[in-house]
């Protein structure tokens, strides 16, 4: 059961978790990324590559599902403009055993940082700036190869 | 051929995309970038730093040495920062 | 912010996640363990060592908080009798960066299996049986040493 | 000294705990188990397999060779299976 969404509206993590638990798997892991309040950022804009993004997320979710024999994998990535404290991304996995659910969840969020066409633009009191890619993300994604 | 620009590439180009018909000798992404830069000062400035440019051909991530032969859609953008 | 609970009532994961997000950390990871439906188990009984359990969970949560500089750590472990599909345990962590939240979450659930005085008793159509300890759990807990 | 039994140890002992006053020469958990087994057939059967027994002294997990001197509470139980 693979579920990929790119909403412009806030992410409902409770509903997503409930779906994952419905996969009857025994173990559910999740990760939620939020817009931090303490970075001097007044708003975050997420730009993406329509069509290509959906395909990239589906491919990622399918790769995780096969590698860890998941009962369910969910990726919800918000796009557009969002405010501090709001959720940017939710990743969730359901598996028979906890190690598979946890490892697959970490894999998905690491790979999302490098394999999906998203760009972040931060609005600050000093103006707007595009976020630079981090080499740490490449390293984190690479550990799954 | 449909071109798409994202993030600061889009901003610097002043447009999200355009339809172009490069000549036959423009065979790779790198050659397409060079051809675009020759079209005017806006394009020249926007695409000057190729180390900060990434590309997709027909929605598949590729290196700048990749072929654009028979491509329908080429996207140019900065390294991704999502997730 | 450390939160440890041993309820006899169902676990409200949505409320727990909301608390963790309230820690303003940027990254929230969670794990939920459920009573599986496909094991021929009609009910699960969780016995524990009152007093010692609370202390063990607090110690675990504090260890994780220090090791990964967490903004928040939550352990909710249900005790008593529960039915297939119900939540046995919820573990959640909030940190500035995703690797800390994910690693701390995996640490907590691995250690819970070995370091806290819980015993599982399964009710099946053939009668009730005490679940045997798994050496795989010792190995999983040991990788954090 | 307060004794507590959990899981199948509790079931086999037929009680969740009891107050006992072992003699002074009973100095370790293992010696306490031997002393309890000598008290009757129920205790002897319940505590026969020491490889499947674990213990806590004053709520701290210990090995069976640990001292129970000045202990207020000793718990006997199977390996934990929670989480």
């Amino acid at each position: 059961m693979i579920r990929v969404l790119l909403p412009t509206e806030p992410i409902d993590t409770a509903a997503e978790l409930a779906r994952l638990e419905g996969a009857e798997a025994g173990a559910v892991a999740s990760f939620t990324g939020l817009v931090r309040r303490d970075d001097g950022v007044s708003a975050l804009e997420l730009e993406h590559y329509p069509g290509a993004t959906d395909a990239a997320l589906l491919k990622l979710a399918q790769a995780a599902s096969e590698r860890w024999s998941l009962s369910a994998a969910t990726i919800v990535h918000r796009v557009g403009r969002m405010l501090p404290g709001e959720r940017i991304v939710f990743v969730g996995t359901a598996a028979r055993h906890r190690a598979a659910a946890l490892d697959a969840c970490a894999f998905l969020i690491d790979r999302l940082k490098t394999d999906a066409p998203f760009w972040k633009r931060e609005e600050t009191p000093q103006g707007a700036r595009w976020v630079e890619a981090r080499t740490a993300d490449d390293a984190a994604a690479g550990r799954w190869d | 051929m449909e071109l798409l620009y994202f993030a600061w590439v889009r901003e610097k180009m002043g447009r999200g995309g355009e339809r172009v018909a490069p000549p036959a000798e423009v065979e790779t992404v790198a050659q397409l970038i060079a051809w675009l830069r020759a079209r005017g000062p806006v394009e020249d400035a926007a695409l000057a730093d190729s180390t900060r440019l990434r590309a997709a051909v027909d929605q598949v991530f590729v290196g700048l040495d990749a072929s654009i032969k028979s491509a329908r859609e080429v996207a140019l953008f900065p390294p991704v920062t999502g997730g």
Side-chain angles (χ1 to χ4, degrees), chain A, chain B:
Chain A
M1 205 167 69
I2 284 171
R3 180 172 159 87
V4 163
L5 293 173
L6 290 161
T8 52
E9 298 300 304
I11 301 170
D12 183 348
T13 50
E16 295 304 333
L17 273 184
R19 274 172 196 273
L20 288 161
E21 292 186 7
E24 314 269 317
V28 171
S30 81
F31 178 85
T32 307
L34 304 147
V35 185
R36 278 197 289 261
R37 289 181 203 268
D38 58 353
D39 284 350
V41 173
S42 51
L44 188 70
E45 179 112 23
L46 247 294
E47 183 168 333
H48 75 120
Y49 184 168
T53 320
D54 313 62
L57 300 194
L58 257 178
K59 198 176 149 195
L60 262 184
Q62 279 162 346
S65 282
E66 282 168 30
R67 181 162 170 181
W68 284 280
S69 301
L70 302 181
S71 312
T74 299
I75 302 173
V76 187
H77 202 301
R78 191 164 168 197
V79 293
R81 192 167 182 274
M82 57 205 87
L83 300 174
E86 291 193 307
R87 297 161 188 145
I88 311 170
V89 61
F90 170 90
V91 161
T93 54
R96 197 164 165 78
H97 296 292
R98 71 185 187 280
L102 287 162
D103 287 352
C105 184
F107 165 87
L108 285 175
I109 191 68
D110 280 351
R111 281 294 171 89
L112 258 181
K113 298 273 174 182
T114 55
D115 290 14
F118 290 109
W119 299 275
K120 274 183 185 155
R121 187 166 163 275
E122 295 176 342
E123 295 172 24
T124 74
Q126 292 77 42
R129 63 180 178 225
W130 289 97
V131 175
E132 292 283 324
R134 294 173 64 233
T135 48
D137 289 332
D138 286 331
R143 74 189 167 108
W144 299 104
D145 292 332
Chain B
M1 179 187 295
E2 200 72 42
L3 296 187
L4 295 173
Y5 310 125
F6 293 109
W8 58 253
V9 177
R10 173 179 55 70
E11 283 188 343
K12 290 187 177 184
M13 292 293 274
R15 53 199 188 266
E18 61 193 308
R19 180 170 288 277
V20 296
E25 63 265 28
V26 173
E27 294 182 333
T28 67
V29 175
Q31 287 165 356
L32 175 68
I33 290 170
W35 179 75
L36 286 166
R37 290 184 63 187
R39 298 179 80 197
V42 167
E43 291 82 355
D44 187 47
L47 306 174
D49 185 358
S50 67
T51 64
R52 296 176 69 214
L53 289 179
R54 298 292 181 273
V57 172
D58 289 331
Q59 304 202 348
V60 175
F61 285 82
V62 295
L64 299 189
D65 57 348
S67 169
I68 58 165
K69 280 288 166 197
S70 74
R72 287 177 298 105
E73 180 178 298
V74 177
L76 299 175
F77 43 79
V80 302
T81 56

